[in-house]
Amino acid sequence: LGSLRPPGTGKSTFLVNTICRRLASDPNARLLVTAPTNRAVIVLAQRFIDVMNKAGSGGLPRHCNSVLVGVEDKLMSDSSAKDEAQYLSADSLTPTLKSIFVYSWVDTIKNDCMSILESLQHLQHSKQQQSTQRPNTTMESMIKSIANISSRLSDGAPNVCYSPCKYAKLLLLKIKAVAAAELWESTLPVISRDDLNYKSSFSLLENAVDHAKKLLEAVGEIDSNDVVAELLATARVIFCTLSTAGASIMKQTRQIHDLLIDEAAAATEPEIWIPFHLR
């Protein structure tokens, strides 16, 4: 499917709607979404993620593997190039886009793991000091964060990330146990809480901190080359430029069922033929 209408006529919105309808109608469909320029690809990727984050009805899956592929120095480095459509600065990628960019995927997970570990250690310190001041990060938000990490690892690269997947699932259980223990302790009389000295939730919290450290260590050992190949293999939607579709890493991935091209009128005929090798 190629989009040939002029700028400002809703091509990107139409293509995102088409992607969502295709995903909802076929749970096994794999789509390649391309455009002649990085800028056009990034706009499509961001709009698609925004729609998926609001999914919950209409048959759209809550979790859908999508990846952004490109030449790393063009997408991520500070740009001094004249053509901004081809060279984008790191600031041009939102945190959400960095989380699906194959060359920063591991780093974003590592950063999330570090944030969770720091929050757990802060909570541990406040319990040791029996401080009434609570960390800014709530148990609910930590549970949501680790659940997201677990989902990304198990859905995106379950083979390469086998150990991190295991530790993420265990950590999720540990944090839920801490939350349940804290809720139980909050119902006890003050004198009972003093007698317990927070041993129940505190011992569970120590265990959670240990698992968070193991998870961070396991994520740090992920092979970046292997993870890129598996991310492409498991992705249901791949975003890249027409030229990147001919890269060697793309030639090694699984078959693509549908090809969508934005700003097709701005591409040359040879460029449009590049992604067809994936069909």
Side-chain angles (χ1 to χ4, degrees):
L1 173 64
S3 177
L4 298 171
R5 291 184 291 178
T9 54
K11 298 187 306 297
S12 298
T13 301
F14 168 72
L15 287 176
V16 170
N17 289 338
T18 301
I19 295 169
C20 293
R21 287 178 178 272
R22 185 72 175 97
L23 294 174
S25 63
D26 185 353
N28 298 314
R30 272 169 53 86
L31 285 70
L32 178 64
V33 183
T34 69
T37 65
N38 282 319
R39 176 180 291 171
V41 170
I42 285 176
V43 168
L44 278 173
Q46 185 64 64
R47 290 188 181 181
F48 171 74
I49 293 173
D50 291 342
V51 170
M52 294 305 298
N53 286 340
K54 298 176 183 178
S57 60
L60 283 174
R62 258 298 183 180
H63 300 288
C64 176
N65 282 1
S66 55
V67 295
L68 174 64
V69 189
V71 180
E72 189 171 4
D73 58 356
K74 289 184 179 182
L75 279 169
M76 300 294 289
S77 65
D78 292 333
S79 171
S80 59
K82 295 180 180 179
D83 186 2
E84 292 183 359
Q86 293 295 335
Y87 294 87
L88 300 169
S89 68
D91 293 337
S92 298
L93 287 183
T94 64
T96 306
L97 286 177
K98 288 180 181 179
S99 71
I100 69 168
F101 185 48
V102 292
Y103 299 113
S104 60
W105 186 84
V106 174
D107 289 335
T108 58
I109 290 182
K110 187 183 299 183
N111 291 337
D112 289 344
C113 290
M114 290 178 64
S115 296
I116 290 173
L117 176 58
E118 289 172 357
S119 297
L120 288 172
Q121 289 175 329
H122 187 187
L123 179 59
Q124 185 181 36
H125 178 72
S126 67
K127 281 183 174 292
Q128 285 176 329
Q129 303 298 320
Q130 295 191 10
S131 172
T132 56
Q133 183 178 1
R134 304 295 291 173
N136 293 329
T137 305
T138 64
M139 295 301 299
E140 183 179 355
S141 63
M142 277 194 279
I143 289 173
K144 185 177 180 180
S145 295
I146 192 59
N148 180 59
I149 292 172
S150 179
S151 176
R152 289 179 63 195
L153 289 168
S154 58
D155 293 344
N159 296 319
V160 175
C161 300
Y162 176 78
S163 292
C165 283
K166 178 181 66 175
Y167 286 122
K169 291 175 181 178
L170 287 172
L171 179 57
L172 180 58
L173 294 175
K174 301 296 181 183
I175 294 178
K176 286 182 177 180
V178 173
E182 285 194 336
L183 180 61
W184 173 72
E185 290 175 355
S186 67
T187 64
L188 297 175
V190 175
I191 187 171
S192 298
R193 293 203 301 266
D194 291 340
D195 291 342
L196 283 170
N197 199 25
Y198 292 96
K199 287 182 180 178
S200 177
S201 62
F202 187 76
S203 60
L204 291 171
L205 182 58
E206 284 184 317
N207 203 337
V209 170
D210 289 339
H211 276 79
K213 291 177 179 178
K214 291 177 181 178
L215 172 59
L216 183 58
E217 182 179 352
V219 170
E221 294 175 354
I222 295 175
D223 188 296
S224 57
N225 293 323
D226 290 342
V227 81
V228 168
E230 189 167 11
L231 285 172
L232 288 171
T234 59
R236 292 194 62 197
V237 185
I238 300 174
F239 294 93
C240 70
T241 61
L242 289 165
S243 58
T244 300
S248 59
I249 190 66
M250 292 293 292
K251 294 177 182 178
Q252 301 169 22
T253 194
R254 294 193 299 118
Q255 180 185 14
I256 297 295
H257 301 121
D258 297 297
L259 169 64
L260 292 88
I261 305 175
D262 191 15
E263 299 185 355
T268 64
E269 187 172 349
E271 278 183 316
I272 292 177
W273 278 105
I274 294 174
F276 279 87
H277 73 90
L278 295 169
R279 291 278 296 171

